mmCIF file of all heavy atoms in Angstrom:
data_model
loop_
_atom_site.group_PDB
_atom_site.id
_atom_site.type_symbol
_atom_site.label_atom_id
_atom_site.label_comp_id
_atom_site.label_asym_id
_atom_site.label_seq_id
_atom_site.Cartn_x
_atom_site.Cartn_y
_atom_site.Cartn_z
ATOM 1 N N ILE A 286 93.719 -44.417 -180.332
ATOM 2 C CA ILE A 286 94.173 -45.804 -180.145
ATOM 3 C C ILE A 286 93.331 -46.483 -179.067
ATOM 4 O O ILE A 286 92.917 -47.638 -179.213
ATOM 5 C CB ILE A 286 95.675 -45.849 -179.763
ATOM 6 C CG1 ILE A 286 96.521 -45.369 -180.937
ATOM 7 C CG2 ILE A 286 96.094 -47.261 -179.359
ATOM 8 C CD1 ILE A 286 97.987 -45.192 -180.632
ATOM 9 N N GLY A 287 93.070 -45.764 -177.984
ATOM 10 C CA GLY A 287 92.342 -46.349 -176.853
ATOM 11 C C GLY A 287 90.980 -46.911 -177.238
ATOM 12 O O GLY A 287 90.634 -48.040 -176.873
ATOM 13 N N ILE A 288 90.207 -46.141 -178.005
ATOM 14 C CA ILE A 288 88.865 -46.601 -178.408
ATOM 15 C C ILE A 288 88.975 -47.810 -179.332
ATOM 16 O O ILE A 288 88.213 -48.770 -179.215
ATOM 17 C CB ILE A 288 88.072 -45.447 -179.094
ATOM 18 C CG1 ILE A 288 87.537 -44.491 -178.014
ATOM 19 C CG2 ILE A 288 86.936 -45.985 -179.943
ATOM 20 C CD1 ILE A 288 86.484 -45.081 -177.081
ATOM 21 N N ARG A 289 89.924 -47.766 -180.245
ATOM 22 C CA ARG A 289 90.058 -48.908 -181.167
ATOM 23 C C ARG A 289 90.507 -50.181 -180.448
ATOM 24 O O ARG A 289 90.066 -51.272 -180.783
ATOM 25 C CB ARG A 289 91.029 -48.535 -182.304
ATOM 26 C CG ARG A 289 90.314 -47.760 -183.401
ATOM 27 C CD ARG A 289 91.171 -46.790 -184.169
ATOM 28 N NE ARG A 289 90.321 -46.015 -185.093
ATOM 29 C CZ ARG A 289 89.579 -44.978 -184.723
ATOM 30 N NH1 ARG A 289 89.577 -44.572 -183.463
ATOM 31 N NH2 ARG A 289 88.823 -44.338 -185.603
ATOM 32 N N GLU A 290 91.360 -50.019 -179.447
ATOM 33 C CA GLU A 290 91.832 -51.204 -178.720
ATOM 34 C C GLU A 290 90.792 -51.764 -177.755
ATOM 35 O O GLU A 290 90.810 -52.948 -177.448
ATOM 36 C CB GLU A 290 93.149 -50.898 -177.988
ATOM 37 C CG GLU A 290 94.307 -50.731 -178.955
ATOM 38 C CD GLU A 290 95.668 -50.803 -178.282
ATOM 39 O OE1 GLU A 290 95.735 -50.984 -177.054
ATOM 40 O OE2 GLU A 290 96.669 -50.681 -179.014
ATOM 41 N N ILE A 291 89.893 -50.923 -177.270
ATOM 42 C CA ILE A 291 88.877 -51.423 -176.322
ATOM 43 C C ILE A 291 87.813 -52.252 -177.050
ATOM 44 O O ILE A 291 87.110 -53.055 -176.437
ATOM 45 C CB ILE A 291 88.213 -50.252 -175.539
ATOM 46 C CG1 ILE A 291 87.503 -50.766 -174.259
ATOM 47 C CG2 ILE A 291 87.212 -49.498 -176.388
ATOM 48 C CD1 ILE A 291 88.412 -51.385 -173.234
ATOM 49 N N ARG A 292 87.706 -52.104 -178.371
ATOM 50 C CA ARG A 292 86.641 -52.800 -179.110
ATOM 51 C C ARG A 292 86.709 -54.316 -178.929
ATOM 52 O O ARG A 292 85.702 -54.963 -178.667
ATOM 53 C CB ARG A 292 86.704 -52.439 -180.598
ATOM 54 C CG ARG A 292 86.290 -51.008 -180.893
ATOM 55 C CD ARG A 292 86.601 -50.664 -182.338
ATOM 56 N NE ARG A 292 86.204 -49.296 -182.671
ATOM 57 C CZ ARG A 292 86.555 -48.677 -183.793
ATOM 58 N NH1 ARG A 292 87.311 -49.313 -184.679
ATOM 59 N NH2 ARG A 292 86.170 -47.444 -184.031
ATOM 60 N N LYS A 293 87.909 -54.902 -179.078
ATOM 61 C CA LYS A 293 88.019 -56.369 -178.943
ATOM 62 C C LYS A 293 87.706 -56.796 -177.506
ATOM 63 O O LYS A 293 87.060 -57.816 -177.281
ATOM 64 C CB LYS A 293 89.399 -56.855 -179.371
ATOM 65 C CG LYS A 293 90.541 -56.401 -178.488
ATOM 66 C CD LYS A 293 91.897 -56.796 -179.050
ATOM 67 C CE LYS A 293 93.005 -56.156 -178.217
ATOM 68 N NZ LYS A 293 94.269 -56.091 -178.917
ATOM 69 N N HIS A 294 88.171 -55.986 -176.533
ATOM 70 C CA HIS A 294 87.887 -56.312 -175.138
ATOM 71 C C HIS A 294 86.379 -56.270 -174.870
ATOM 72 O O HIS A 294 85.840 -57.155 -174.194
ATOM 73 C CB HIS A 294 88.591 -55.325 -174.201
ATOM 74 C CG HIS A 294 90.078 -55.475 -174.152
ATOM 75 N ND1 HIS A 294 90.708 -56.461 -173.419
ATOM 76 C CD2 HIS A 294 91.069 -54.772 -174.754
ATOM 77 C CE1 HIS A 294 92.020 -56.349 -173.561
ATOM 78 N NE2 HIS A 294 92.263 -55.333 -174.372
ATOM 79 N N ALA A 295 85.721 -55.238 -175.402
ATOM 80 C CA ALA A 295 84.267 -55.105 -175.198
ATOM 81 C C ALA A 295 83.519 -56.298 -175.774
ATOM 82 O O ALA A 295 82.551 -56.787 -175.185
ATOM 83 C CB ALA A 295 83.775 -53.799 -175.819
ATOM 84 N N ALA A 296 83.990 -56.804 -176.908
ATOM 85 C CA ALA A 296 83.368 -57.993 -177.518
ATOM 86 C C ALA A 296 83.534 -59.212 -176.605
ATOM 87 O O ALA A 296 82.611 -59.998 -176.429
ATOM 88 C CB ALA A 296 83.987 -58.259 -178.886
ATOM 89 N N TRP A 297 84.720 -59.350 -176.014
ATOM 90 C CA TRP A 297 84.951 -60.474 -175.080
ATOM 91 C C TRP A 297 84.087 -60.329 -173.829
ATOM 92 O O TRP A 297 83.499 -61.299 -173.355
ATOM 93 C CB TRP A 297 86.425 -60.535 -174.669
ATOM 94 C CG TRP A 297 87.365 -60.942 -175.755
ATOM 95 C CD1 TRP A 297 87.112 -61.786 -176.796
ATOM 96 C CD2 TRP A 297 88.733 -60.522 -175.922
ATOM 97 N NE1 TRP A 297 88.229 -61.920 -177.603
ATOM 98 C CE2 TRP A 297 89.237 -61.165 -177.087
ATOM 99 C CE3 TRP A 297 89.588 -59.677 -175.202
ATOM 100 C CZ2 TRP A 297 90.543 -60.980 -177.541
ATOM 101 C CZ3 TRP A 297 90.889 -59.505 -175.642
ATOM 102 C CH2 TRP A 297 91.353 -60.135 -176.800
ATOM 103 N N TYR A 298 84.034 -59.112 -173.286
ATOM 104 C CA TYR A 298 83.268 -58.882 -172.053
ATOM 105 C C TYR A 298 81.792 -59.260 -172.212
ATOM 106 O O TYR A 298 81.177 -59.778 -171.290
ATOM 107 C CB TYR A 298 83.323 -57.395 -171.657
ATOM 108 C CG TYR A 298 84.534 -56.958 -170.871
ATOM 109 C CD1 TYR A 298 85.503 -56.129 -171.443
ATOM 110 C CD2 TYR A 298 84.705 -57.336 -169.544
ATOM 111 C CE1 TYR A 298 86.614 -55.699 -170.715
ATOM 112 C CE2 TYR A 298 85.804 -56.907 -168.808
ATOM 113 C CZ TYR A 298 86.754 -56.091 -169.397
ATOM 114 O OH TYR A 298 87.848 -55.671 -168.669
ATOM 115 N N THR A 299 81.233 -58.964 -173.373
ATOM 116 C CA THR A 299 79.778 -59.100 -173.537
ATOM 117 C C THR A 299 79.351 -60.431 -174.145
ATOM 118 O O THR A 299 78.154 -60.700 -174.257
ATOM 119 C CB THR A 299 79.244 -57.952 -174.427
ATOM 120 O OG1 THR A 299 79.973 -57.944 -175.669
ATOM 121 C CG2 THR A 299 79.413 -56.598 -173.735
ATOM 122 N N ALA A 300 80.307 -61.270 -174.538
ATOM 123 C CA ALA A 300 79.953 -62.570 -175.140
ATOM 124 C C ALA A 300 79.075 -63.368 -174.181
ATOM 125 O O ALA A 300 79.352 -63.451 -172.987
ATOM 126 C CB ALA A 300 81.222 -63.353 -175.457
ATOM 127 N N GLY A 301 77.990 -63.901 -174.709
ATOM 128 C CA GLY A 301 77.103 -64.726 -173.897
ATOM 129 C C GLY A 301 75.989 -63.957 -173.205
ATOM 130 O O GLY A 301 75.095 -64.564 -172.607
ATOM 131 N N TYR A 302 76.018 -62.637 -173.274
ATOM 132 C CA TYR A 302 74.936 -61.838 -172.690
ATOM 133 C C TYR A 302 73.892 -61.538 -173.763
ATOM 134 O O TYR A 302 74.183 -61.569 -174.955
ATOM 135 C CB TYR A 302 75.486 -60.532 -172.091
ATOM 136 C CG TYR A 302 76.241 -60.750 -170.790
ATOM 137 C CD1 TYR A 302 77.579 -61.127 -170.797
ATOM 138 C CD2 TYR A 302 75.610 -60.590 -169.561
ATOM 139 C CE1 TYR A 302 78.283 -61.345 -169.624
ATOM 140 C CE2 TYR A 302 76.299 -60.793 -168.368
ATOM 141 C CZ TYR A 302 77.628 -61.174 -168.411
ATOM 142 O OH TYR A 302 78.314 -61.389 -167.230
ATOM 143 N N ARG A 303 72.700 -61.239 -173.319
ATOM 144 C CA ARG A 303 71.590 -60.969 -174.238
ATOM 145 C C ARG A 303 71.913 -59.779 -175.152
ATOM 146 O O ARG A 303 72.477 -58.791 -174.696
ATOM 147 C CB ARG A 303 70.344 -60.653 -173.387
ATOM 148 C CG ARG A 303 69.062 -60.762 -174.154
ATOM 149 C CD ARG A 303 67.888 -60.642 -173.204
ATOM 150 N NE ARG A 303 66.714 -60.237 -173.956
ATOM 151 C CZ ARG A 303 65.749 -59.480 -173.460
ATOM 152 N NH1 ARG A 303 65.828 -59.054 -172.228
ATOM 153 N NH2 ARG A 303 64.712 -59.178 -174.184
ATOM 154 N N ASN A 304 71.571 -59.894 -176.409
ATOM 155 C CA ASN A 304 71.787 -58.833 -177.419
ATOM 156 C C ASN A 304 73.268 -58.529 -177.678
ATOM 157 O O ASN A 304 73.596 -57.486 -178.250
ATOM 158 C CB ASN A 304 71.078 -57.519 -177.013
ATOM 159 C CG ASN A 304 69.586 -57.699 -176.862
ATOM 160 O OD1 ASN A 304 68.978 -58.440 -177.635
ATOM 161 N ND2 ASN A 304 68.994 -57.056 -175.867
ATOM 162 N N SER A 305 74.163 -59.453 -177.257
ATOM 163 C CA SER A 305 75.593 -59.126 -177.358
ATOM 164 C C SER A 305 76.098 -59.063 -178.801
ATOM 165 O O SER A 305 76.964 -58.246 -179.113
ATOM 166 C CB SER A 305 76.435 -60.115 -176.548
ATOM 167 O OG SER A 305 76.283 -61.420 -177.041
ATOM 168 N N SER A 306 75.553 -59.884 -179.703
ATOM 169 C CA SER A 306 76.074 -59.860 -181.084
ATOM 170 C C SER A 306 75.719 -58.543 -181.771
ATOM 171 O O SER A 306 76.538 -57.969 -182.497
ATOM 172 C CB SER A 306 75.567 -61.057 -181.886
ATOM 173 O OG SER A 306 74.168 -61.091 -181.886
ATOM 174 N N ARG A 307 74.508 -58.040 -181.517
ATOM 175 C CA ARG A 307 74.112 -56.751 -182.100
ATOM 176 C C ARG A 307 74.964 -55.624 -181.512
ATOM 177 O O ARG A 307 75.399 -54.713 -182.211
ATOM 178 C CB ARG A 307 72.622 -56.507 -181.819
ATOM 179 C CG ARG A 307 72.025 -55.336 -182.598
ATOM 180 C CD ARG A 307 70.512 -55.352 -182.487
ATOM 181 N NE ARG A 307 70.065 -55.227 -181.109
ATOM 182 C CZ ARG A 307 69.892 -54.046 -180.496
ATOM 183 N NH1 ARG A 307 70.134 -52.929 -181.150
ATOM 184 N NH2 ARG A 307 69.486 -53.989 -179.263
ATOM 185 N N LEU A 308 75.214 -55.730 -180.216
ATOM 186 C CA LEU A 308 76.020 -54.725 -179.532
ATOM 187 C C LEU A 308 77.446 -54.689 -180.105
ATOM 188 O O LEU A 308 77.986 -53.610 -180.342
ATOM 189 C CB LEU A 308 76.077 -55.032 -178.030
ATOM 190 C CG LEU A 308 77.019 -54.170 -177.198
ATOM 191 C CD1 LEU A 308 76.493 -52.747 -177.081
ATOM 192 C CD2 LEU A 308 77.226 -54.762 -175.808
ATOM 193 N N ARG A 309 78.019 -55.860 -180.375
ATOM 194 C CA ARG A 309 79.397 -55.904 -180.874
ATOM 195 C C ARG A 309 79.538 -55.173 -182.209
ATOM 196 O O ARG A 309 80.534 -54.516 -182.465
ATOM 197 C CB ARG A 309 79.883 -57.352 -180.996
ATOM 198 C CG ARG A 309 80.253 -57.956 -179.653
ATOM 199 C CD ARG A 309 81.097 -59.207 -179.783
ATOM 200 N NE ARG A 309 80.376 -60.330 -180.369
ATOM 201 C CZ ARG A 309 79.588 -61.150 -179.690
ATOM 202 N NH1 ARG A 309 79.400 -60.970 -178.396
ATOM 203 N NH2 ARG A 309 78.982 -62.160 -180.290
ATOM 204 N N GLY A 310 78.538 -55.301 -183.053
ATOM 205 C CA GLY A 310 78.566 -54.569 -184.324
ATOM 206 C C GLY A 310 78.617 -53.068 -184.103
ATOM 207 O O GLY A 310 79.340 -52.347 -184.787
ATOM 208 N N LYS A 311 77.856 -52.597 -183.114
ATOM 209 C CA LYS A 311 77.824 -51.155 -182.824
ATOM 210 C C LYS A 311 79.115 -50.679 -182.148
ATOM 211 O O LYS A 311 79.557 -49.551 -182.365
ATOM 212 C CB LYS A 311 76.617 -50.830 -181.928
ATOM 213 C CG LYS A 311 75.274 -50.997 -182.641
ATOM 214 C CD LYS A 311 74.152 -50.548 -181.722
ATOM 215 C CE LYS A 311 72.801 -50.568 -182.431
ATOM 216 N NZ LYS A 311 71.719 -50.145 -181.543
ATOM 217 N N ILE A 312 79.689 -51.556 -181.316
ATOM 218 C CA ILE A 312 80.933 -51.191 -180.633
ATOM 219 C C ILE A 312 82.018 -50.866 -181.655
ATOM 220 O O ILE A 312 82.804 -49.934 -181.478
ATOM 221 C CB ILE A 312 81.406 -52.337 -179.701
ATOM 222 C CG1 ILE A 312 80.515 -52.415 -178.458
ATOM 223 C CG2 ILE A 312 82.866 -52.144 -179.281
ATOM 224 C CD1 ILE A 312 80.701 -53.678 -177.638
ATOM 225 N N ASN A 313 82.052 -51.613 -182.751
ATOM 226 C CA ASN A 313 83.075 -51.397 -183.779
ATOM 227 C C ASN A 313 82.927 -50.061 -184.496
ATOM 228 O O ASN A 313 83.835 -49.635 -185.205
ATOM 229 C CB ASN A 313 83.062 -52.542 -184.793
ATOM 230 C CG ASN A 313 83.643 -53.818 -184.205
ATOM 231 O OD1 ASN A 313 84.489 -53.761 -183.333
ATOM 232 N ND2 ASN A 313 83.177 -54.958 -184.664
ATOM 233 N N GLU A 314 81.776 -49.416 -184.305
ATOM 234 C CA GLU A 314 81.562 -48.099 -184.918
ATOM 235 C C GLU A 314 81.804 -46.961 -183.931
ATOM 236 O O GLU A 314 81.781 -45.788 -184.299
ATOM 237 C CB GLU A 314 80.121 -48.017 -185.454
ATOM 238 C CG GLU A 314 79.863 -48.993 -186.608
ATOM 239 C CD GLU A 314 78.374 -49.149 -186.909
ATOM 240 O OE1 GLU A 314 77.570 -48.343 -186.398
ATOM 241 O OE2 GLU A 314 78.025 -50.095 -187.646
ATOM 242 N N ALA A 315 82.018 -47.311 -182.650
ATOM 243 C CA ALA A 315 82.217 -46.268 -181.629
ATOM 244 C C ALA A 315 83.502 -45.496 -181.910
ATOM 245 O O ALA A 315 84.552 -46.089 -182.164
ATOM 246 C CB ALA A 315 82.283 -46.907 -180.246
ATOM 247 N N GLU A 316 83.405 -44.187 -181.894
ATOM 248 C CA GLU A 316 84.566 -43.339 -182.199
ATOM 249 C C GLU A 316 85.118 -42.623 -180.968
ATOM 250 O O GLU A 316 86.217 -42.082 -181.008
ATOM 251 C CB GLU A 316 84.174 -42.282 -183.253
ATOM 252 C CG GLU A 316 83.928 -42.854 -184.643
ATOM 253 C CD GLU A 316 85.184 -43.413 -185.296
ATOM 254 O OE1 GLU A 316 86.286 -42.907 -184.998
ATOM 255 O OE2 GLU A 316 85.075 -44.371 -186.081
#
């Protein structure tokens, strides 16, 4: 549960930073 719930937070944290959209795609695959 913890990893799945951190995904949305990680997307918010990195918005506006360089390479953030590519990173968000990878975050959703983190297990």
Side-chain angles (χ1 to χ4, degrees):
I286 293 172
I288 282 294
R289 277 151 186 80
E290 289 196 0
I291 198 64
R292 290 171 179 169
K293 66 186 173 200
H294 289 281
W297 291 329
Y298 276 110
T299 55
Y302 286 84
R303 197 172 158 212
N304 300 322
S305 62
S306 57
R307 191 168 61 86
L308 173 70
R309 283 197 292 277
K311 291 185 175 180
I312 287 167
N313 287 331
E314 294 166 12
E316 290 293 330

